[in-house]
Amino acid sequence: KMAEKQEEPSNTQNGEPDNAEEGEEKKKKKLKREDLPPFEIVTGERLPAIFFKFQFRNVEYSSGRNKTFLCYVLETQGKESVTSRGYLEDEHAAAHAEMAFFNTILPKCESSLRYNITWYVSSSPCVTCADRITETLKKNKNLRLTIMVGRLFMWEEPEMQAALKKMKSAGCKLRIMKPQDFEYVWQNFVEQEEGEEAKSFVPWEDIQENFQYYEEKLAEIL
């Protein structure tokens, strides 16, 4: 099993089931995915259900879940309010989705506008991204950011705890996703297969316990 994992890192990362008898078409598609340049940021309307089910699971040990999926709702308040939504994922870990959001979705904040941003992220940011979030919020007082996370990333590390505290003091609201939040993401950001009635969200069995576990940890840190 290990050898198989090393050969096909992209498969295990994305939580796709390994299927030996892939059609030729699928093989071609897969090759294309792996040929992406390292700084490619994948953005899309809705993320595939298979990614959601794997990456967003609020498990305690997130083995193989080393990509970040970030779903965002961006509300810009000026003369008229405009709301946009979408998702980002980091490709080959070259640029994290959090950075990509500030570089591509919100490269400049107009000082005359107010921005209310909510992120639904598979796991909390790494230290570098947390620092970037803190700096951005300090620089742009017209920016409000709420981050809903499925899991806490490396929360035992003192450096990580310090970075999360700084985010909080810069005004970032950090919350652990409740079962209802996962359902919201499922309904609003996940592809529903064509021709089927929208499948309702099926919570995994330990979703509530895991939420409580992470919520306690976050309360201790902050």
Side-chain angles (χ1 to χ4, degrees):
K1 191 69 193 155
M2 271 318 287
E4 197 178 297
K5 274 202 169 141
Q6 280 159 5
E7 262 169 47
E8 299 211 13
S10 70
N11 249 9
T12 41
Q13 264 185 29
N14 289 337
E16 292 173 19
D18 290 328
N19 184 350
E21 300 155 43
E22 279 181 321
E24 278 309 302
E25 270 311 293
K26 222 168 155 194
K27 276 211 176 89
K28 275 186 208 137
K29 256 192 201 155
K30 210 170 84 188
L31 276 174
K32 274 211 181 81
R33 265 196 80 89
E34 285 166 11
D35 291 342
L36 286 173
F39 283 95
E40 179 100 0
I41 300 297
V42 181
T43 60
E45 287 301 299
R46 285 177 173 253
L47 70 157
I50 199 157
F51 290 1
F52 171 81
K53 286 176 182 166
F54 181 70
Q55 295 289 352
F56 270 91
R57 269 192 92 133
N58 57 356
V59 287
E60 195 176 330
Y61 299 104
S62 49
S63 152
R65 294 174 172 83
N66 46 4
K67 273 167 88 76
T68 304
F69 280 86
L70 185 157
C71 301
Y72 64 86
V73 180
L74 167 60
E75 190 191 346
T76 308
Q77 297 173 329
K79 285 198 179 81
E80 290 166 19
S81 285
V82 183
T83 303
S84 62
R85 61 174 67 225
Y87 86 92
L88 297 160
E89 59 180 277
D90 40 36
E91 205 35 68
H92 305 298
H96 288 177
E98 295 91 336
M99 296 286 193
F101 181 87
F102 292 124
N103 297 342
T104 59
I105 308 295
L106 197 69
K108 55 183 188 298
C109 289
E110 306 278 335
S111 54
S112 59
L113 300 174
R114 291 189 54 166
Y115 301 90
N116 283 333
I117 302 163
T118 307
W119 288 353
Y120 296 89
V121 198
S122 42
S123 70
S124 58
C126 66
V127 172
T128 311
C129 288
D131 288 346
R132 171 76 186 269
I133 290 164
T134 301
E135 280 162 37
T136 306
L137 289 174
K138 279 186 176 156
K139 255 199 327 234
N140 302 284
K141 296 294 180 200
N142 53 335
L143 196 60
R144 300 263 172 283
L145 178 62
T146 302
I147 305 180
M148 314 290 289
V149 302
R151 303 184 295 278
L152 289 175
F153 174 69
M154 294 182 71
W155 55 268
E156 287 129 322
E157 303 288 324
E159 197 189 0
M160 190 69 252
Q161 296 186 0
L164 294 177
K165 285 186 178 120
K166 278 195 290 197
M167 269 170 52
K168 186 190 175 182
S169 62
C172 177
K173 289 193 177 80
L174 190 59
R175 303 277 184 271
I176 305 294
M177 285 171 71
K178 298 180 167 76
Q180 300 89 296
D181 297 314
F182 288 105
E183 185 168 9
Y184 175 81
V185 171
W186 174 260
Q187 287 168 349
N188 290 280
F189 293 99
V190 176
E191 274 172 11
Q192 303 296 339
E193 287 176 23
E194 284 169 43
E196 288 185 43
E197 285 301 302
K199 284 204 184 111
S200 56
F201 173 63
V202 182
W204 38 95
E205 59 185 76
D206 44 9
I207 190 170
Q208 181 66 26
E209 291 96 285
N210 292 349
F211 155 66
Q212 284 163 335
Y213 169 82
Y214 279 124
E215 192 166 56
E216 278 164 30
K217 297 291 168 231
L218 183 61
E220 283 164 26
I221 294 166
L222 299 180

